[in-house]
Amino acid sequence: MSDANVRIPEEAKDRLAAIAAAEGLSLRAYLARLAETLLTPAERAERAEKARAALKEWTGYAPTAAEEQELDSELDRRLAQAAAR
């Protein structure tokens, strides 16, 4: 295992260390676990494509790119509305 130095603001480091400690982990262990659980953009795209294929197979529903954009916009609007409450 190699070490890496990462320069981040002190406040960010302190926040991450506090989160790690609350979970009973060192900052190193927490960051390693985080890296293992997050998806890369390519992995997210692959999962989304698999989900679209499953949706089409199960229900016959295959939204167009325009429909997907409209649904994404609606979801963004609703999330912003909920966050403002």
Side-chain angles (χ1 to χ4, degrees):
M1 178 184 320
S2 64
D3 284 336
N5 290 321
V6 179
R7 295 180 59 83
I8 61 173
E10 188 72 25
E11 298 82 18
K13 180 191 138 301
D14 293 343
R15 180 175 172 79
L16 289 169
I19 294 167
E23 295 188 25
L25 298 170
S26 68
L27 181 54
R28 175 189 286 217
Y30 179 76
L31 291 174
R33 187 181 74 180
L34 186 63
E36 292 171 3
T37 59
L38 294 176
L39 299 175
T40 66
E43 290 167 335
R44 283 194 305 274
E46 181 182 354
R47 284 195 182 183
E49 185 53 43
K50 286 180 180 179
R52 280 191 286 276
L55 180 64
K56 184 177 180 182
E57 182 180 331
W58 293 341
T59 68
Y61 179 64
T64 65
E67 290 171 324
E68 285 183 22
Q69 180 60 46
E70 185 179 323
L71 292 167
D72 286 346
S73 295
E74 177 64 13
L75 178 59
D76 290 343
R77 186 189 69 77
R78 289 183 185 199
L79 289 171
Q81 185 179 40
R85 291 183 186 170

